[in-house]
Amino acid sequence: GDLHIVDNQTAEDCAFPLGEAIDKALGERRGIARYGSAHAPLDEALSLAVVDISSRPFAVIDIPISREKIGDLSSEMVPHLLHSFAMAARITLHIQLIKGDNAHHKVEASFKALALAIRQAIRRDQAMMHIIPSTKEALH
């Protein structure tokens, strides 16, 4: 990434390839649970993430951060990174910080909740491998 120029590039350089890799790995999404939700704490912070592996990219990110930076990353890049990831992965993503004081804890709890929700949504059921979880029989 081009951190010495602007951290926006680094956020996108991480989010887009990761999202695209998940999208490609899921293929036509046959046999997956499709929906996932999870809470994750980190000390005083608690976050909720909900995903729909829908192939309809959308993101609502509600992680209020009052600090300008977390390490070298501008705080405004956190929702941008998550939005970019959702667009590239072609998922619907909602993240809501429920509580928290420490900016680092808020963000880390949110990423942990996202990982847990994705794990739940992509879980495959061998008995359902011939089914695409959509009334339209397609998630593309």
Side-chain angles (χ1 to χ4, degrees), residues 87-102:
M87 296 304 109
R90 298 186 318 126
I91 66 173
T92 298
L93 170 62
H94 290 258
I95 296 182
Q96 181 178 10
L97 179 75
I98 296 169
K99 63 171 74 176
D101 297 315
N102 179 292

Side-chain angles (χ1 to χ4, degrees), residues 5 8 12 26 28 56 80 93 110:
I5 299 171
N8 174 289
E12 290 176 351
L26 289 171
E28 64 180 352
R56 288 189 316 274
H80 178 66
L93 170 62
S110 297

Side-chain angles (χ1 to χ4, degrees), residues 17-108:
L18 181 59
E20 289 168 355
I22 288 175
D23 181 43
K24 185 177 180 179
L26 289 171
E28 64 180 352
R29 287 133 165 85
R30 192 173 297 277
I32 64 168
R34 180 176 167 178
Y35 300 99
S37 65
H39 290 85
L42 179 60
D43 297 340
E44 86 297 346
L46 176 63
S47 191
L48 167 67
V50 181
V51 298
D52 176 3
I53 310 292
S54 62
S55 299
R56 288 189 316 274
F58 193 82
V60 177
I61 311 299
D62 182 14
I63 310 170
I65 304 169
S66 57
R67 285 178 49 183
E68 185 176 323
K69 289 185 169 253
I70 301 171
D72 290 333
L73 182 69
S74 300
S75 295
E76 66 186 2
M77 286 299 105
V78 172
H80 178 66
L81 186 149
L82 291 164
H83 180 269
S84 297
F85 167 76
M87 296 304 109
R90 298 186 318 126
I91 66 173
T92 298
L93 170 62
H94 290 258
I95 296 182
Q96 181 178 10
L97 179 75
I98 296 169
K99 63 171 74 176
D101 297 315
N102 179 292
H104 170 84
H105 294 173
K106 292 176 182 183
V107 172
E108 188 171 337

